[in-house]
């Protein structure tokens, strides 16, 4: 390997090449409105995977596929026994998804490896780019399936047995697209030295603050609930106001309360009622039963516990007003702080490169949130236009994508070592 005159810190990725690869991948499953429909483990997903694998092999990577279909493209280090410094994301999309969600993290990783090749830089530790299976959870539940199996959040057998609406299992779909690999799908402790994931923010905060890089501190914890409010159906005319047990009125009070509770724990708490079912939903009947969902999120468990306690107190208050309230927690994700030394590597990288940056928190789930359970992990956010994602109009500024990829390069070099 030739000696370098310029230090690795001076190396920059090729923004035009990154953009070109994003646009080329986006042609697979392209929609009329400029988005992408590439559901997990479909033939379109296979085509996207095949393109990534071809690109990875072109630059000399070895590729392995594990039993849940996760793809790992590996670039050897000087000391190949060291745990790899890994990056990655997903290339499956929502039915009306965009070009950047997930795809950016995968292709930014590929661009980092291409750049190192161009500059004849060999790192001490090996580098890997991962493509995680079924992050979106649109065709198969649970979401973040590949990284979830990898992190031990649920078992391989459980994931393989899940079926889509047509009764096709994950195991069958993996076999039919040729991505049922043989490598173990469960990450061993210490197997990954560091995991970075670059991603569009999928929210409006960076854009609102006119910042290029979001230094992500961690991911919000989540509690999801199913709530059933039961009153009594009665005629809207003969029943005086004080004698009603109106379940929809109770639901309205609870929706207000969820908003109030979350606002009281600003800036990171979230409270959302996104789904309501009103029974019998008839113009002149006082509603007798309402089912609704509640989604509470917070950056730390103490706050999430407080939100939970206050929600239950609101339910108790409704019970004193003649409404039966059944509340069941159906999902719990703990808050997931990221590794401080990796977060610092991202912040330092952004500062050294002269990009504006701010601390950020991930309100959504990402593969990185599961990876953080088994490896030091951090994320890089870049803005997306108007904060819109999971939408065909999802868009991002090429300059921001380039900046995020340069930060990823510097952070990976810093952790992989020996690259001057
Ligand atoms: Zn994503």
């Amino acid at each position: 390997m030739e000696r370098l005159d310029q230090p690795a810190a001076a190396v920059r990725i090729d923004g035009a090449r990154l953009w070109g690869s994003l646009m080329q991948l986006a042609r697979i499953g392209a929609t009329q409105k400029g988005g992408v429909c590439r559901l997990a483990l479909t033939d379109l997903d296979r085509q996207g995977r095949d393109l990534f694998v071809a690109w990875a092999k072109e630059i000399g990577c070895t590729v392995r596929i594990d039993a849940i279909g996760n793809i790992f493209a590996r670039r050897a280090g000087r000391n190949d026994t060291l745990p790899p410094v890994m990056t990655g994301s997903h290339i499956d999309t929502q039915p009306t998804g965009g070009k950047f969600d997930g795809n950016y993290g995968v292709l930014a990783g590929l661009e980092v490896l291409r750049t190192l090749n161009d500059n004849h830089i060999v790192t001490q530790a090996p580098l890997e780019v991962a493509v995680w299976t079924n992050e979106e959870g649109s065709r198969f539940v649970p979401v973040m399936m590949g990284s979830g199996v990898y992190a031990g959040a649920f078992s391989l057998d459980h994931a393989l047995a899940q079926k889509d609406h047509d009764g096709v299992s994950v195991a069958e779909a993996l076999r039919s697209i040729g991505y049922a690999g043989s490598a173990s799908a469960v990450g061993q402790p210490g197997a990954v030295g560091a995991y970075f994931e670059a991603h569009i923010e999928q929210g409006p905060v960076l854009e609102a603050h006119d910042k290029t890089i979001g230094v992500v501190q961690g991911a919000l914890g989540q509690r999801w609930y199913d709530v059933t409010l039961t009153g009594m159906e009665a005629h809207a005319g003969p029943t005086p106001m004080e004698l009603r047990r109106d379940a929809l009125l109770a639901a309205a009070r609870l929706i207000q309360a969820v908003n109030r509770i979350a606002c009281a724990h600003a800036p990171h708490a979230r409270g959302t009622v996104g789904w309501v079912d009103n029974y019998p939903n008839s113009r002149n009947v006082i509603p007798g039963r309402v089912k609704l969902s509640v989604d509470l999120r917070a950056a730390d468990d103490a706050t999430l516990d407080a939100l939970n306690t206050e929600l239950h107190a609101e339910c108790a208050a409704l019970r004193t007003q003649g409404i039966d309230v059944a509340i069941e927690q159906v999902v719990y994700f703990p808050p997931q702080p990221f590794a401080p030394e990796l977060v610092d590597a991202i912040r330092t990288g952004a500062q050294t490169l002269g990009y504006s940056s701010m601390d950020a928190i991930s309100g959504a789930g990402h593969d990185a949130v599961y990876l953080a359970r088994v490896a030091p992990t951090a994320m890089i956010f870049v803005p997306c236009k108007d904060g819109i994602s999971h939408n065909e109009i999802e868009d991002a500024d090429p300059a921001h994508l380039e900046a995020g990829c340069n930060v990823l390069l510097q952070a990976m070099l810093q952790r992989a070592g020996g690259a001057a």
Side-chain angles (χ1 to χ4, degrees):
M1 200 59 49
E2 77 187 57
R3 253 192 72 79
L4 286 168
D5 294 319
Q6 61 173 352
V11 171
R12 297 291 180 271
I13 65 102
D14 182 338
R17 180 170 57 188
L18 170 62
W19 182 261
S21 297
L22 280 163
M23 294 307 109
Q24 195 173 334
L25 181 55
R27 285 206 284 273
I28 301 172
T31 63
Q32 297 251 315
K33 291 181 183 166
V36 178
C37 175
R38 200 166 54 235
L39 300 187
L41 309 185
T42 56
D43 191 65
L44 289 170
D45 188 16
R46 176 193 62 77
Q47 292 175 42
R49 288 162 170 264
D50 287 354
L51 181 59
F52 171 80
V53 168
W55 278 338
K57 288 183 173 168
E58 227 169 65
I59 55 169
C61 289
T62 53
V63 174
R64 70 179 191 280
I65 316 290
D66 74 16
I68 193 64
N70 297 323
I71 306 170
F72 301 89
R74 181 182 177 97
R75 183 177 192 268
R78 276 204 198 92
N79 181 352
D80 230 24
T81 64
L82 289 173
V85 171
M86 187 185 280
T87 188
S89 195
H90 60 94
I91 63 167
D92 67 313
T93 75
Q94 292 287 330
T96 53
K99 303 183 187 80
F100 304 99
D101 176 5
N103 301 293
Y104 170 58
V106 170
L107 296 182
L110 185 75
E111 177 55 35
V112 165
L113 302 195
R114 286 169 167 170
T115 299
L116 295 178
N117 273 17
D118 293 347
N119 290 277
H120 309 289
I121 292 172
V122 180
T123 50
Q124 198 67 25
L127 304 180
E128 292 194 1
V129 180
V131 181
W132 304 107
T133 293
N134 183 34
E135 193 272 351
E136 295 289 0
S138 180
R139 181 181 175 198
F140 296 105
V141 175
V143 299
M144 303 185 287
M145 181 177 277
S147 52
V149 170
Y150 189 86
F154 39 83
S155 73
L156 172 65
D157 287 345
H158 174 77
L160 290 174
Q162 300 309 304
K163 292 182 175 171
D164 68 8
H165 288 306
D166 299 325
V168 179
S169 72
V170 169
E172 289 161 348
L174 276 170
R175 278 197 299 275
S176 70
I177 66 163
Y179 277 87
S182 53
S184 167
V186 181
Q188 299 305 316
V192 175
Y195 179 77
F196 292 101
E197 183 166 343
H199 208 284
I200 56 168
E201 182 195 5
Q202 303 182 285
V205 179
L206 290 174
E207 201 176 64
H209 289 82
D210 197 22
K211 303 290 187 198
T212 301
I213 301 293
V215 182
V216 187
Q217 313 291 303
L220 299 181
Q222 308 181 25
R223 287 179 185 265
W224 297 0
Y225 309 83
D226 287 344
V227 181
T228 303
L229 305 166
T230 307
M232 177 61 77
E233 295 108 85
H235 198 299
T239 315
M241 301 309 285
E242 70 277 12
L243 295 180
R244 295 175 176 213
R245 296 171 58 208
D246 184 336
L248 187 57
L249 181 64
R253 289 176 174 149
L254 192 62
I255 293 167
Q256 293 274 10
V258 165
N259 186 265
R260 192 171 58 242
I261 290 166
C263 289
H265 293 274
H268 292 315
R270 314 270 191 265
T272 305
V273 175
W275 178 85
V276 176
D277 179 55
N278 179 45
Y279 177 84
N281 213 27
S282 179
R283 183 184 300 272
N284 53 6
V285 181
I286 298 163
R289 189 185 67 231
V290 174
K291 296 184 178 188
L292 54 82
S293 64
V294 177
D295 176 328
L296 298 178
R297 306 188 186 208
D300 59 86
D301 248 331
T303 307
L304 196 54
D305 288 347
L307 298 176
N308 177 63
T309 302
E310 290 166 37
L311 175 66
H312 279 84
E314 294 294 340
C315 291
L318 291 174
R319 289 188 188 105
T320 68
Q321 298 164 25
I323 302 294
D324 291 331
V325 184
I327 175 164
E328 183 192 1
Q329 182 176 299
V330 292
V331 167
Y332 170 67
F333 282 109
Q336 182 62 65
F338 288 155
E341 68 277 18
L342 269 62
V343 174
D344 282 348
I346 292 167
R347 186 183 291 108
T348 306
Q351 283 166 357
T352 309
L353 292 159
Y355 301 131
S356 60
S357 67
M358 66 183 288
D359 287 356
I361 189 109
S362 176
H366 291 291
D367 294 310
V369 181
Y370 275 148
L371 262 290
R373 296 186 183 186
V374 291
T377 293
M379 291 188 79
I380 301 163
F381 276 170
V382 295
C384 56
K385 189 168 186 302
D386 301 326
I388 304 264
S389 178
H390 284 192
N391 189 319
E392 290 163 277
I393 63 167
E394 179 184 279
D395 200 5
D397 183 339
H400 291 156
L401 299 173
E402 179 177 344
C405 190
N406 272 322
V407 172
L408 177 66
L409 168 68
Q410 292 305 323
M412 290 183 77
L413 282 176
Q414 198 241 55
R415 299 315 290 179

